[in-house]
Amino acid sequence: MQKENQKASHQDVVPSVVHFLSDLWFEGDFKQQPLYLQEIFELMLETEFGNDQELRQKMLSCIRTSRNLAETLSPFTDQQIQQAFLAVAVKE
């Protein structure tokens, strides 16, 4: 991330976000990732390593972020997301 008052390398944030979401969405079944994270974290919490309050807060934050992103994109088909990506990529 850029610090305040520094010139950004991109003029618009939207194309970068669209690229990120497109890459993320097509990397696998992202819709299932919140469940995968929850399963992994639940197993970790059963270990001594998982008995750390700060780590637990980070885990919950990861699950929440992943779930919110999946929910935000869930109304759209893969084709709609790809079309949006292409529309933004052409404008660059």
Side-chain angles (χ1 to χ4, degrees):
M1 295 187 74
Q2 297 288 327
K3 292 183 179 179
E4 292 295 324
N5 300 322
Q6 284 187 337
K7 188 172 183 170
S9 58
H10 295 343
Q11 296 300 321
D12 192 354
V13 172
V14 174
S16 295
V17 172
V18 171
H19 283 280
F20 166 74
L21 293 177
S22 179
D23 291 345
L24 183 66
W25 193 259
F26 292 107
E27 192 169 290
D29 191 3
F30 186 79
K31 296 173 189 177
Q32 297 300 316
Q33 285 194 9
L35 295 174
Y36 298 158
L37 283 172
Q38 184 173 344
E39 182 181 345
I40 291 166
F41 293 159
E42 284 174 357
L43 290 172
M44 287 179 63
L45 291 174
E46 293 175 3
T47 68
E48 185 177 332
F49 177 71
N51 191 20
D52 179 285
Q53 187 66 27
E54 186 176 339
L55 179 61
R56 287 173 182 242
Q57 289 172 339
K58 289 177 183 178
M59 289 181 203
L60 290 173
S61 177
C62 288
I63 291 171
R64 197 171 20 256
T65 300
S66 181
R67 184 179 296 132
N68 287 341
L69 181 56
E71 287 174 5
T72 299
L73 296 177
S74 68
F76 306 104
T77 65
D78 292 350
Q79 185 177 6
Q80 289 173 313
I81 294 169
Q82 183 66 25
Q83 287 172 346
F85 167 74
L86 292 173
V88 171
V90 169
K91 290 180 183 180
E92 285 184 41

